Structure formats: structure tokens, C-alpha cells
Amino acid sequence: MSDRVRMRVFAVSLLGLLALMLWGLAGLPDFGDYGGPYGYILDRVAVPERSTTDVVTAVNFDYRGFDTLGEEFILFAAVVGVASILRTLRGERTRRPDDDAAGRHVPETTLPVRVAGLGLVAPTILVGLYIVAHGHQTPGGGFQGGVILATALLLTYLSADYLTFRAVGPTSLIELAEGAGAAGFAAIGLAGLVAGDAFFDNVLGKGTPGELLSAGTIPLSNLAVGLAVTGGFVFMLSEFLQQTLTRRLTRRRRRGGGRRRA
């Protein structure tokens, strides 16, 4: 297929997608128009029933915790898929992988960028832990906090190099965090089924709304999801960086071998 034909196919597909999006947007209700009783009921009963001041978190980790379990294992499946696809070339030497695109110059990281990146690592970790720990009180939780915590590892790579990134977040520890978080979240649901009346039923004391130690098993669910999301994102980042490194070294060896044969 020529480039011209590809561009025409892309243009037609893009026009079709835009038409579908406009059609979908035209059917949306007006701002503030909410006819479903589900949200009103939860807004009224979530605090007294679950002792959490964040109704969204109560939905995610209690009222519809089984749905969240499915979402969690979507991420787990994505991590497994990335590892299965990218782990085809291993046993190479590890250096910092740079962008090896043709004609692109990749400069060394400057000292101000390194200092700023390292200075942001600790605050990023602190913010991530706060978001995870207070997910049952304020907007946030394990998903959001886990992404922030993974960003702290990314800052380590951006401000140092790949070897430092691997030293701070070794693959074995990251894999353990991902697996333990996903298994822990499922175990919390099973505990409600075994010791309670339903899957994800709260088997701990609810506590006082607004306090850190409240909402029963919801903070534990946030912790497990935060651990799984952090491990999953860092693991995928590590796999992509390692694959970039492997491809770069393979190209270098092929070019070197070609010159030697010549």
C-alpha cells in the first residue's frame, strides 16, 4: 500500500470518527441535568453506612468493589502482556537507553534538570502516599496515588540514568509489589465473602467519618490498589526502557559487525 493510499484511508477513518464523536456529543444531557436516583441515594447513605466522606471511593471499593476488581486485573493483564511481548531479547548489557531515532540528537541531561528532578522525588513520594492514605476522606485513592508514586521512579531515571532507576526499583521488588497489590485487593473481597455476607463486605469497624482510621476495609483496598498500580506502571516503564536499550545495542553490534566484515 502506497503512502497516498494510506493517507486517504486515514482521512476517511478520521472523518468517520469525528462524525461519531459529534453524534455522541449531540445526545448528551445538558449540564446539571441528572435524572438517575442512584447518585442521590449514595450521596445520602454513604457517610452513615460506610464512614467515608468520599462517596466515589465508597462506590469503587465497597458498593461496586467487584467492578473495581475487574478494572484492577485489566491493569494486571496489561502488565503481563507487555512483559510477554517485550521480553524477547534479553541478556544484553544495561546502559542508559537513549532515543536512537534517525537524525535526532539526544543531548545529555543538564545539571539543573538533574537537580530539579532529584529534588522532586521526595515530595512526589510524599504526595503519592498522602493521596493513597486519604483516599477514603478526600478525592484520590489507590489509582491516583499509585500513578503519582510511579512518577517518582520516573523522575529518578530522568534525573540520573537507567542503572540508578534499576537500583532504586529492582525488577523483583516491582513484580512483588504488583502481584501483592492485586492479590491483596482480591483477598479483601474474599474476606468479606467468608467472614461477612457478600463479596467486599466490610468486616472491620467503620470508625468515625473524617478520621484517618475509619471506613473499615476501604483504606486497605486503597493501599492494595496503590501498591498494584505503582508496581504495574513502574514495571511497564522498566520493560519499555529495557527494550529500547536492547534494540539500540543490537543496532550498534550489527553496524560494528558489518564494518568488520567489510
Side-chain angles (χ1 to χ4, degrees):
M1 183 182 295
S2 64
D3 292 341
R4 180 176 296 180
V5 175
R6 290 178 181 175
M7 289 301 298
R8 289 177 179 176
V9 173
F10 171 75
V12 172
S13 302
L14 182 60
L15 290 175
L17 177 61
L18 290 176
L20 287 175
M21 292 181 65
L22 291 175
W23 179 53
L25 291 174
L28 291 177
D30 296 332
F31 181 79
D33 183 14
Y34 179 71
Y38 187 65
Y40 293 121
I41 294 174
L42 289 175
D43 190 46
R44 185 174 64 252
V45 304
V47 175
E49 286 185 355
R50 301 298 187 260
S51 293
T52 173
T53 54
D54 186 356
V55 179
V56 175
T57 299
V59 174
N60 288 338
F61 297 120
D62 196 312
Y63 292 110
R64 301 187 65 175
F66 187 75
D67 295 348
T68 305
L69 180 65
E71 296 173 4
E72 174 65 28
F73 277 90
I74 290 175
L75 175 62
F76 184 80
V79 173
V80 173
V82 168
S84 300
I85 293 173
L86 296 184
R87 285 189 174 180
T88 56
L89 298 174
R90 285 299 182 261
E92 303 287 347
R93 237 174 3 155
T94 56
R95 300 177 187 168
R96 180 178 177 175
D98 293 328
D99 191 346
D100 199 33
R104 180 178 297 177
H105 173 65
V106 182
E108 291 292 331
T109 305
T110 61
L111 182 59
V113 173
R114 291 180 183 272
V115 173
L118 289 176
L120 288 172
V121 171
T124 302
I125 294 176
L126 183 62
V127 171
L129 292 175
Y130 180 89
I131 295 297
V132 173
H134 293 80
H136 60 294
Q137 296 176 318
T138 56
F143 285 100
Q144 298 87 339
V147 174
I148 295 174
L149 290 172
T151 303
L153 271 296
L154 176 60
L155 287 171
T156 302
Y157 165 70
L158 294 177
S159 58
D161 52 31
Y162 181 65
L163 292 178
T164 304
F165 172 82
R166 289 296 300 270
V168 174
T171 302
S172 58
L173 183 61
I174 297 303
E175 290 176 346
L176 177 63
E178 162 69 9
F185 186 53
I188 293 172
L190 290 174
L193 186 63
V194 173
D197 296 326
F199 201 67
F200 277 104
D201 187 33
N202 183 17
V203 295
L204 302 176
K206 294 189 296 182
T208 304
E211 294 185 355
L212 184 61
L213 298 178
S214 61
T217 58
I218 293 179
L220 295 180
S221 297
N222 266 321
L223 180 61
V225 170
L227 191 64
V229 171
T230 302
F233 274 87
V234 173
F235 183 80
M236 285 192 289
L237 174 63
S238 176
E239 288 295 316
F240 282 124
L241 291 175
Q242 203 166 358
Q243 182 69 11
T244 303
L245 165 70
T246 303
R247 292 186 61 187
R248 185 186 183 209
L249 293 179
T250 302
R251 291 194 191 106
R252 285 183 174 180
R253 290 177 177 177
R254 287 175 179 174
R255 288 196 297 262
R259 284 194 296 269
R260 284 192 298 269
R261 287 192 299 270

